[in-house]
Amino acid sequence: FVGTAKYINDQIQSMVINATLNVKTYTELLYLTSLIADQIDTKFTYNFSIRVLVSSQDGLKAVIVKQRGQSAQTYELY
């Protein structure tokens, strides 16, 4: 996991996290992205947007998006 954040006036405005996972099946992808989304919801309660790009050896597999004040949503690209 590698994350970068955009700051304005010393406050985080947005964050992008790149997660490189070794998933082989769609079921593994669903399980791991749901774990990440749950952690995003519980650990990041701040008022900024977060985007997690989930990649595997074959490229981008899913995107998890958490907008300000909302729960994380997962979009699979499998």
Side-chain angles (χ1 to χ4, degrees), residues 26-74:
Y26 182 70
T27 304
E28 288 177 337
L29 177 66
L30 287 177
Y31 175 70
L32 292 173
T33 54
S34 68
L35 284 177
I36 294 169
D38 288 343
Q39 289 299 309
I40 292 291
D41 279 338
T42 58
K43 301 294 182 191
F44 292 100
T45 58
Y46 303 107
N47 196 22
F48 59 89
S49 62
I50 301 171
R51 188 176 53 199
V52 181
L53 306 174
V54 180
S55 299
S56 185
Q57 59 272 18
D58 297 333
L60 186 64
K61 296 294 184 187
V63 178
I64 302 168
V65 178
K66 180 174 174 30
Q67 297 294 340
R68 294 179 183 181
Q70 297 180 6
S71 297
Q73 300 293 316
T74 302

